[in-house]
């Protein structure tokens, strides 16, 4: 783990500081200041970057892999995909045409290379996503009893354009409540696993989830040593029940490139939701074990594909603070 401290100052990135007269490497490195603001599981920030000319290589950092919570590395690659998407949005804003190249799924060092081409955008991302890069947060609140407007749901669906990735918006109360029960079951299983609790406690103890130092230490002790499965189950199923819509991203393939693509799609939906005043909250426990993941698949329409990522969508007036990040230098490797 890096020696540099977690900081919230990274959120103060100013577009005016873009080095217009700098080298292409300076410009590419600037884009990465937006990449590190991406969401990630347990805020583990499991990415690594290398800039070579106009190519940005983005790799999963396995030293930050949550091997207890995420044995399949699904969340690892989704998190990397979120960082890739942030980088693409920033690249388009500053006048590039970013092309994503996926490396061979069999290769040990799965990475994405982002080529910064001349501007020739055939299907640009919505321009308003750029401002959301520095304002987006994950909400953990109980949502208001208010529906998610049909036109908002359409707009959120329309930005998913990755091949083989589908967004399902579940608004039917019976299916949503069944997902809530599944969530409760998954929470009990995870919190019953000492390795899961130890791992979560580790990231809380680092302060990655945003608590002050003392609160983080107390949080780590509680999570690591007490079985709080029933409490988590009750809290989280209530959170699901409060959501007018539970979203699930599914894919046709079930491999790292499909999971990276899921990350791109999720982050784009999440940023657009943020511009529309819609709160977003990923809830991963159901997907973290094959049995509950399979039960979730059976709640989706026939032929829906493999569930990769689940998140609540809804409304809340509660303010949420940004979580901290490690400074960009932590993630840069030499060309
Ligand atoms: C793949 C993935 C899985 C996540 N799973 C959960 C989850 O199960 N529960 C939760 O509260 N947040 C979850 N999150 C949200 C992260 O905790 C959050 O992104 C991180 O703490 C950083 O905070 P921020 O999104 O507000 O910047 C997940 C995010 C990603 C990308």
């Amino acid at each position: 783990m890096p020696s540099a401290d977690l900081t919230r100052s990274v959120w103060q990135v100013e577009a005016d500081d873009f080095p217009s007269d700098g080298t292409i490497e300076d410009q590419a490195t600037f884009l990465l200041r937006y990449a590190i603001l991406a969401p990630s599981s347990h805020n583990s920030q499991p990415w690594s970057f290398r800039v070579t000319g106009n190519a940005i290589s983005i790799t999963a950092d396995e030293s930050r892999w949550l091997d207890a919570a995420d044995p399949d590395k699904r969340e690892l690659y989704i998190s990397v995909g979120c960082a890739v998407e942030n980088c693409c949005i920033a690249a388009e804003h500053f006048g590039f045409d970013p092309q994503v190249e996926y490396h061979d799924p069999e290769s040990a060092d799965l990475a994405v290379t982002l080529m910064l081409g001349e501007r020739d955008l055939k299907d640009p991302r919505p321009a308003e996503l750029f401002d959301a890069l520095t304002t987006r947060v994950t909400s953990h609140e109980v949502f208001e009893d208010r529906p998610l407007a049909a036109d908002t749901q359409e707009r959120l669906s329309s930005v998913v354009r990755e091949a083989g990735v589908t967004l399902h918006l579940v608004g039917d109360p019976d299916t949503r409540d069944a997902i809530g029960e599944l969530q409760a079951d998954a929470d009990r299983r995870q919190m019953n696993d000492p390795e899961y609790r130890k791992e979560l406690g580790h990231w809380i103890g680092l302060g990655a989830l945003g608590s002050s130092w003392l609160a983080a230490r107390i949080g780590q002790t509680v999570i690591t040593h007490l079985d709080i499965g029933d409490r988590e189950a009750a809290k989280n199923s209530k959170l699901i029940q409060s959501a007018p819509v539970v979203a699930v991203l599914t894919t046709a393939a079930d491999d790292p490139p499909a999971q990276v693509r899921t990350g791109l799609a999720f982050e784009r939906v999440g940023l657009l939701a943020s511009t529309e005043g819609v709160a977003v909250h990923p809830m991963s426990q159901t997907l973290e074990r094959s049995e509950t993941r399979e039960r979730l698949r059976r709640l989706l329409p026939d032929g829906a594909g493999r569930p990769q990522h689940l998140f609540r969508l809804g409304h809340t007036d509660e303010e949420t603070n940004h979580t901290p990040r490690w400074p960009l230098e932590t993630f840069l490797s030499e060309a």
Side-chain angles (χ1 to χ4, degrees), residues 1-315:
M1 213 34 68
S3 52
D5 287 339
L6 282 154
T7 171
R8 287 190 175 79
S9 64
V10 291
W11 290 95
Q12 269 121 46
V13 48
E14 295 290 342
D16 286 349
D17 292 338
F18 180 71
S20 309
D21 299 328
T23 64
I24 183 70
E25 282 92 350
D26 293 338
Q27 296 180 349
T29 305
F30 187 83
L31 302 181
L32 294 173
R33 295 177 64 182
Y34 295 94
I36 63 168
L37 304 181
S40 61
S41 193
H42 290 9
N43 203 18
S44 53
Q45 306 164 49
W47 35 67
S48 163
F49 309 111
R50 199 175 60 240
V51 174
T52 320
N54 68 336
I56 305 175
S57 164
I58 305 181
T59 319
D61 177 355
E62 295 210 0
S63 71
R64 290 163 177 267
W65 166 39
L66 309 174
D67 57 354
D70 184 31
D72 303 330
K73 301 190 180 161
R74 191 182 38 76
E75 293 167 36
L76 176 74
Y77 291 122
I78 293 173
S79 302
V80 169
C82 292
V84 173
E85 177 63 15
N86 274 19
C87 207
C88 289
I89 291 167
E92 288 191 6
H93 177 85
F94 291 108
F96 298 103
D97 183 1
Q99 296 295 330
V100 181
E101 293 175 6
Y102 295 87
H103 291 202
D104 177 2
E106 302 302 322
S107 76
D109 64 336
L110 181 114
V112 162
T113 302
L114 204 69
M115 301 300 299
L116 299 176
E118 297 285 312
R119 192 169 185 97
D120 179 25
L121 291 174
K122 306 229 163 20
D123 187 14
R125 293 161 165 85
E128 65 266 30
L129 299 186
F130 178 73
D131 283 344
L133 292 175
T134 46
T135 55
R136 179 209 61 80
V137 286
T138 296
S139 169
H140 301 91
E141 304 299 328
V142 173
F143 290 154
E144 291 165 14
D145 185 10
R146 181 145 69 96
L148 191 62
D151 57 340
T152 304
Q153 296 194 37
E154 266 167 41
R155 279 195 295 280
L156 295 178
S157 297
S158 72
V159 291
V160 174
R161 58 187 200 187
E162 276 60 39
V165 180
T166 309
L167 178 69
H168 302 268
L169 297 178
V170 178
D172 154 52
D174 288 344
T175 314
R176 187 202 52 204
D177 290 352
I179 293 176
E181 281 168 28
L182 203 45
Q183 171 75 39
D185 191 12
D187 276 322
R188 276 189 215 97
R189 286 166 195 248
Q190 293 295 55
M191 284 298 179
N192 206 17
D193 175 357
E195 290 304 314
Y196 177 89
R197 294 206 308 268
K198 191 167 143 204
E199 182 179 80
L200 177 57
H202 166 76
W203 291 93
I204 290 174
L206 286 175
L209 296 170
S211 331
S212 70
W213 187 87
L214 182 60
R217 288 283 155 231
I218 294 169
Q220 176 174 20
T221 307
V222 168
I223 290 283
T224 308
H225 298 293
L226 299 182
D227 184 352
I228 54 168
D230 284 337
R231 206 188 70 183
E232 278 296 291
K235 185 186 86 189
N236 284 343
S237 64
K238 187 170 159 206
L239 289 177
I240 297 244
Q241 275 157 12
S242 77
V245 165
V246 175
V248 183
L249 282 162
T250 63
T251 55
D254 197 20
D255 56 13
Q259 290 150 354
V260 174
R261 285 187 172 91
T262 302
L264 271 88
F266 164 63
E267 180 63 345
R268 203 175 311 119
V269 171
L271 290 165
L272 186 64
S274 165
T275 69
E276 304 231 351
V278 174
V280 177
H281 180 202
M283 299 186 80
S284 300
Q285 292 73 19
T286 302
L287 293 149
E288 289 173 345
R289 295 281 176 264
S290 53
E291 200 223 317
T292 42
R293 190 180 179 204
E294 175 57 22
R295 282 163 61 197
L296 175 64
R297 191 188 65 72
R298 292 204 294 264
L299 290 173
L300 298 174
D302 285 345
R306 303 300 309 246
Q308 300 289 355
H309 194 50
L310 182 152
F311 48 104
R312 302 187 300 135
L313 293 169
H315 300 100

